[in-house]
């Protein structure tokens, strides 16, 4: 696969950034006019402030010819997903007062509000700022929220990597005063790096980065952050309680387009090892390589993964080392990775406990008997636990004393909130992106569709005796890959009008991409199409083999031909296919 050649003409977004006077543009004027929305260049600049201009796509269908009503998605930036109880409660309050009454945990450990009206933006952001929460750089062509394993075990290595996540995130925040001028009237926010007198943006420059840029840190052996899917993935290397440093992985990314073969998901390349003292300098240097060499003319090829694809890891490493003036050490050995959910009760190691809750597709809301938002609020108001958001769209309640454990459980149950042990493994290991009705890029449903698909899968898995087999199931409403579907054991990726591509063969621990198995499958046939694969897996897997590993071992073509043979014969007699399976051992 070749990436498209660069042309010299910068994309339209580059001009908007260049002419914006460091993310100001005419946002201040537009914020106070009578319209419910911003113009095109305003829309682009708002992203850097953590805002997306949206409209309810459900309503558009019913109201052809009438003017769209605009509202805004606001994403807060929460390095490593760590929040105080007070910060959680501020989010909860604002969701009720200014947004649509829900909070959305994202796959990068942030919160999103949906449905904020233009007139309420300033008040919302100002109140977040008072709680020391920023939305600056949560979206836009900059380094986004830095993800990191959030589990609160009392372990100096975990504490250090969580600190490193915050340091990197804060260091790479845009330094323009535009955010504060616009939303907070010039007041100071403690999280922001100090403004530079001579150079407004010493790292980014006037045009920031060619595209969004993502960084995540994995704890040794724990890949809950999907470290290979990031622009920069750092895998902590430790000896006992000492953090030795990080293996550095570069050039991962998920986004693609179904019809453009020169766009593709990619896993990052391991290029070396750095010590804790070196890590910030190395990360900043990698960011500057992408700043200077990333494609600024074609936004479909502007992510750093395409630079890695074009240059190869050796040339990329050489350029990083040239800028550093010294060489990266060779990668250090690390334990095998696993995607840990951190669900259920765990002793923290300091006499207190944390409870990992499974939040279905990250949406915190009250609906029917499941009063998730009210229940979480009740627990957090009464017991004041720390709150940590996970990259699996879940939530950990931390620092709970042994005496309070039962009362916390009871409060949750009174609000109809299940504990992870009440849920099926397949539900707990599933993720869906937001998609309709708010995402402007969605081709199909995801968050609203996956629960019914999981219900049907649960029935199949129980019938097949596979209910205790953990595997990851991810659904997205388009191929951009916001729920990182291309590393899942099984994924459903939105294609067009209620039809999906089924992908199989990823690794649950995020170290291998899956492959398209079947195209254009209608939502109500997804589980039916997967059933024969699950049956084959049950009957012909190796001991301990995971579903994704099994599909990968056989390969998509073999799977397709086996399933075709089975359905032609309308029998589950495996004699004809066993030779093919045996060949793949
Ligand atoms: Fe994403 C765009 C939601 C994580 C790849 N993503 C969008 C937008 C902003 C739609 C848009 O551009 O108009 C979505 C907003 C929908 C809405 O209504 O809320 C959106 N992305 C999300 C979230 C909320 C999904 C979720 O359900 O949790 C995640 C927010 C993360 C955060 O807190 O920062 C989210 N997006 C991701 C991830 C996963 C990750 O970062 O670990 C990816 C794949 C990794 C990657 O970046 O390669 C991802 N989002 C994209 C892309 C494809 C980028 C590309 O390289 O092609 C787009 C489209 C784009 O940028 O043009 C996109
Ligand atoms: Fe929207 Fe596509 Fe991302 Fe889902 S994967 S949130 S549909 S951009």
């Amino acid at each position: 696969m070749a990436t498209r050649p660069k042309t010299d003409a910068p994309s339209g977004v580059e001009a908007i950034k260049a002419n914006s006077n460091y993310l100001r543009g005419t946002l201040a004027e537009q914020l106070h006019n009578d319209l419910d929305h911003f113009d095109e260049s305003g829309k682009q600049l708002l992203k850097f402030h953590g805002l997306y201009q949206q409209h309810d796509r459900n309503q558009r269908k019913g109201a052809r010819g009438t003017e769209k009503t605009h509202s805004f998605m606001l994403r807060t930036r929460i390095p490593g997903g760590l929040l105080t109880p007070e910060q959680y409660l501020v989010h909860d309050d604002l969701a009720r007062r200014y947004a649509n009454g829900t909070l959305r945990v994202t796959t990068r450990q942030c919160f999103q509000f949906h449905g904020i009206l233009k007139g309420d933006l300033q008040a919302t952001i100002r109140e977040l700022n008072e709680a020391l929460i920023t939305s600056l750089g949560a979206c836009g062509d900059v380094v986004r929220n830095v993800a990191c394993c959030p589990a609160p075990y009392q372990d100096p290595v975990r504490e250090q990597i969580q600190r490193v996540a915050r340091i990197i995130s804060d260091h790479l925040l845009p330094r323009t005063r535009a955010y504060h001028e616009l939303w907070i009237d010039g007041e100071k926010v403690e999280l922001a790096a100090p403004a530079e007198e001579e150079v407004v943006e010493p790292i980014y420059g006037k045009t920031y980065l060619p595209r969004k840029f993502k960084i995540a840190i994995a704890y040794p052996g724990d890949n809950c952050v999907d470290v290979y899917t990031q622009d920069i993935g750092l895998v902590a290397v430790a000896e006992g309680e000492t953090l030795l440093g990080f293996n550095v992985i570069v050039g991962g990314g998920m986004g693609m387009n179904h019809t453009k073969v020169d766009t593709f998901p990619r896993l990052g390349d391991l290029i070396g090892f750095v010590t804790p003292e070196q890590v910030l300098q190395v990360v900043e240097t990698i960011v500057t390589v992408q700043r200077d060499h990333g494609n600024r003319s074609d936004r479909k090829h502007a992510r750093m993964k395409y630079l890695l694809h074009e240059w190869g890891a050796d040339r990329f490493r050489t350029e990083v080392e040239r800028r550093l003036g010294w060489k990266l050490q060779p990668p250090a050995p690390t334990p095998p990775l696993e995607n840990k959910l951190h669900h259920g009760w765990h002793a923290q190691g300091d006499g207190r406990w944390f409870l990992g809750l499974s939040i279905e597709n990250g949406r915190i809301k009250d609906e029917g008997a499941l009063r998730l938002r009210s229940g979480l609020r009740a627990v957090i108001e009464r017991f004041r636990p720390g709150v940590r958001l996970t990259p699996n769209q879940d939530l950990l309640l931390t620092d709970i004393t042994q005496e309070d454990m039962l009362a916390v459980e009871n409060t949750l149950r009174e609000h109809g909130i299940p504990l992870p042990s009440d849920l099926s493994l397949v539900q707990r290991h599933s993720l869906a992106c937001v998609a309709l009705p708010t995402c402007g890029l969605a081709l199909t449903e995801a968050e609203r569709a996956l629960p019914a698909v999981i219900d049907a899968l649960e029935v199949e898995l129980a019938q097949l005796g596979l209910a205790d087999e953990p595997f990851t199931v991810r659904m997205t409403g388009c191929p951009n890959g916001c729920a990182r579907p291309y590393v899942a054991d099984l994924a459903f990726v939105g294609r067009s009008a209620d039809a999906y591509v089924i992908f199989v063969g990823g690794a649950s621990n995020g170290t291998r991409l899956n492959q398209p198995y079947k195209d254009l499958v209608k939502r109500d046939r997804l589980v039916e199409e997967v059933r024969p694969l699950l049956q084959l897996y049950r009957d012909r897997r190796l001991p301990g083999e995971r579903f994704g590993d099994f599909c990968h071992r056989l390969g998509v073509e073999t799977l397709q031909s086996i399933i075709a043979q089975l359905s032609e014969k309308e029998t589950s007699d495996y004699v004809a296919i066993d030779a093919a399976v045996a060949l793949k051992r």
Side-chain angles (χ1 to χ4, degrees):
M1 277 179 286
T3 53
R4 261 187 239 159
K6 280 187 210 173
T7 64
D8 288 330
S11 70
V13 178
E14 289 300 315
I16 292 172
K17 290 185 277 184
N19 298 327
S20 73
N21 183 19
Y22 297 99
L23 309 182
R24 289 177 179 83
T26 56
L27 288 178
E29 292 86 321
Q30 294 194 54
L31 183 61
H32 300 294
N33 68 20
D34 291 339
L35 301 175
D36 73 348
H37 61 278
F38 292 78
D39 67 11
E40 190 50 39
S41 68
K43 253 169 74 175
Q44 294 301 332
L45 294 176
L46 281 175
K47 295 181 188 177
F48 293 79
H49 298 248
L51 287 160
Y52 265 78
Q53 183 164 298
Q54 299 182 322
H55 57 272
D56 183 336
R57 294 180 61 191
N58 280 351
Q59 279 175 7
R60 185 176 55 165
K61 278 194 186 137
R64 259 171 219 283
T66 56
E67 292 253 320
K68 287 182 212 161
T69 310
H70 293 88
S71 68
F72 294 81
M73 178 271 272
L74 173 65
R75 187 182 292 162
T76 54
R77 184 177 171 115
I78 307 172
L82 272 62
L83 289 165
T84 63
E86 291 72 27
Q87 288 173 326
Y88 179 90
L89 293 172
V90 168
H91 278 90
D92 177 85
D93 259 357
L94 293 170
R96 181 179 49 82
R97 279 161 50 213
Y98 297 127
N100 64 359
T102 77
L103 276 174
R104 183 57 158 64
V105 184
T106 74
T107 49
R108 298 195 68 73
Q109 301 172 282
C110 296
F111 266 136
Q112 281 187 184
F113 302 94
H114 289 100
I116 305 180
L117 298 178
K118 188 178 162 210
D120 292 329
L121 288 176
Q122 216 168 17
T124 311
I125 295 177
R126 207 176 279 147
E127 287 187 41
L128 285 165
N129 180 68
E130 280 162 14
L132 298 184
I133 296 285
T134 187
S135 63
L136 175 63
C139 315
D141 296 343
V142 289
V143 172
R144 304 287 186 87
N145 191 46
V146 177
C148 176
C149 176
Y153 297 105
Q154 292 300 298
D155 160 1
V157 175
R158 279 188 190 274
E159 284 163 19
Q160 274 188 70
I161 65 170
Q162 283 155 5
R163 206 164 35 245
V164 170
R166 173 161 288 269
I167 290 170
I168 295 175
S169 184
D170 289 354
H171 183 70
L172 293 164
L173 271 174
R175 300 191 189 183
T176 171
R177 298 286 306 155
Y179 183 83
H180 306 282
E181 287 166 16
L182 193 57
W183 309 109
I184 303 149
D185 291 327
E187 281 172 36
K188 252 195 158 185
V189 62
E190 283 179 29
L191 291 182
E196 291 274 339
E197 289 309 315
E198 297 87 23
V199 187
V200 177
E201 294 286 8
I203 300 171
Y204 292 128
K206 267 179 93 157
T207 48
Y208 295 82
L209 297 180
R211 206 61 162 84
K212 55 174 70 165
F213 194 101
K214 311 213 170 150
I215 302 176
I217 310 181
Y219 181 77
D222 184 349
N223 192 21
C224 61
V225 297
D226 273 335
V227 77
Y228 281 93
T229 67
Q230 312 285 325
D231 293 86
I232 303 178
L234 301 169
V235 182
V237 180
E239 208 169 78
E241 298 202 331
T242 309
L243 176 66
L244 301 177
F246 301 90
N247 278 342
V248 181
I249 295 165
V250 290
M254 295 274 95
M256 65 161 198
N257 184 301
H258 287 302
T259 53
K260 295 197 170 85
V261 288
D262 58 355
T263 63
F264 43 86
R266 183 178 194 278
L267 296 184
D269 299 301
L270 180 56
I271 59 164
F273 171 85
V274 297
T275 65
E277 295 71 35
Q278 295 168 333
V279 70
L280 189 61
Q281 187 191 3
V282 170
V283 163
E284 182 183 318
T285 305
I286 294 170
V287 169
T288 66
V289 174
Q290 160 68 355
R291 177 196 66 197
D292 299 341
H293 293 280
N295 187 330
R296 286 187 185 261
S297 56
D298 179 357
R299 288 182 66 79
K300 287 268 166 240
H301 292 98
R303 294 294 296 273
M304 196 171 78
K305 66 181 176 183
Y306 294 110
L307 190 59
L308 261 296
H309 177 75
E310 203 179 303
W311 280 12
D314 285 343
R315 178 173 166 197
F316 189 89
R317 185 196 308 103
T318 305
E319 176 59 15
V320 172
E321 289 173 341
R322 188 189 67 72
R323 289 175 184 226
L324 288 168
W326 46 270
K327 285 197 179 312
L328 303 180
Q329 295 178 49
T334 53
L337 293 168
E338 234 186 282
N339 179 359
K340 295 191 181 160
L341 296 176
H342 312 296
H343 284 167
W345 285 108
H346 301 268
Q348 292 181 179
D350 59 356
R352 288 173 297 171
W353 294 75
F354 79 89
L355 175 61
L357 291 173
S358 173
I359 309 290
E360 193 171 38
N361 303 323
R363 185 68 69 176
I364 298 179
K365 63 178 176 186
D366 285 353
E367 192 171 68
L370 176 56
R371 291 182 299 126
L372 183 54
R373 218 191 95 213
S374 303
L376 285 175
R377 182 169 186 102
V379 167
I380 294 165
E381 271 179 334
R382 178 166 163 208
F383 301 98
R384 298 273 150 187
V387 178
R388 299 192 178 194
L389 310 181
T390 82
N392 281 302
Q393 299 172 327
D394 289 330
L395 184 145
L396 316 180
L397 298 169
T398 74
D399 305 318
I400 298 171
T401 61
Q402 185 136 18
E403 301 78 67
D404 285 340
M405 287 168 72
L406 192 59
V408 167
E409 274 196 21
N410 287 342
T411 311
L412 294 171
R413 289 204 190 280
E414 279 158 22
H415 290 83
I417 302 172
L419 295 184
S421 52
D422 305 327
L423 301 170
S424 69
L425 269 185
V426 67
Q427 175 175 339
R428 289 168 52 192
H429 284 271
S430 66
L431 289 182
C433 73
V434 178
L436 295 168
T438 54
C439 178
L441 305 177
L443 305 170
T444 61
E445 296 281 352
E447 180 188 323
R448 299 191 298 192
L450 188 60
V453 174
I454 293 290
D455 286 349
L457 258 180
E458 281 170 354
V459 173
E460 293 296 344
L461 290 166
Q463 281 174 1
L464 291 166
L466 292 172
D468 294 332
E469 292 301 322
F471 60 91
T472 46
V473 181
R474 297 182 177 177
M475 177 183 266
T476 56
C478 85
N480 281 317
C482 297
R484 299 184 291 270
Y486 309 115
V487 284
D489 291 272
L490 171 65
F492 307 119
V493 175
R495 176 75 151 99
S496 66
D498 219 26
Y500 297 76
V501 186
I502 299 177
F503 285 75
V504 295
S508 308
N509 68 358
T511 54
R512 185 180 61 238
L513 293 174
N514 50 25
Q515 300 296 324
Y517 166 73
K518 188 142 193 177
D519 197 1
L520 284 170
V521 180
K522 286 283 183 196
R523 193 194 332 164
D524 57 7
R525 289 195 43 83
L526 288 173
V527 175
E528 214 171 309
E529 291 292 346
V530 170
R531 185 176 212 283
L533 288 179
L534 290 169
Q535 191 174 338
L536 190 64
Y537 164 66
R538 180 197 62 186
D539 296 344
R540 290 298 183 268
R541 67 190 147 156
L542 300 176
E545 193 171 32
R546 303 281 286 246
F547 178 65
D549 298 336
F550 172 79
C551 293
H552 173 72
R553 176 164 62 84
L554 265 66
V556 162
E557 281 174 20
T558 306
L559 287 173
Q560 286 163 341
S561 87
I562 291 172
I563 301 302
Q565 285 181 51
L566 282 178
S567 56
E568 270 166 29
K569 291 185 179 175
E570 289 182 350
T571 166
S572 57
D573 169 8
Y574 285 111
V575 176
I577 51 110
D578 267 351
V581 177
L583 279 177
K584 299 275 176 172
R585 284 188 188 221

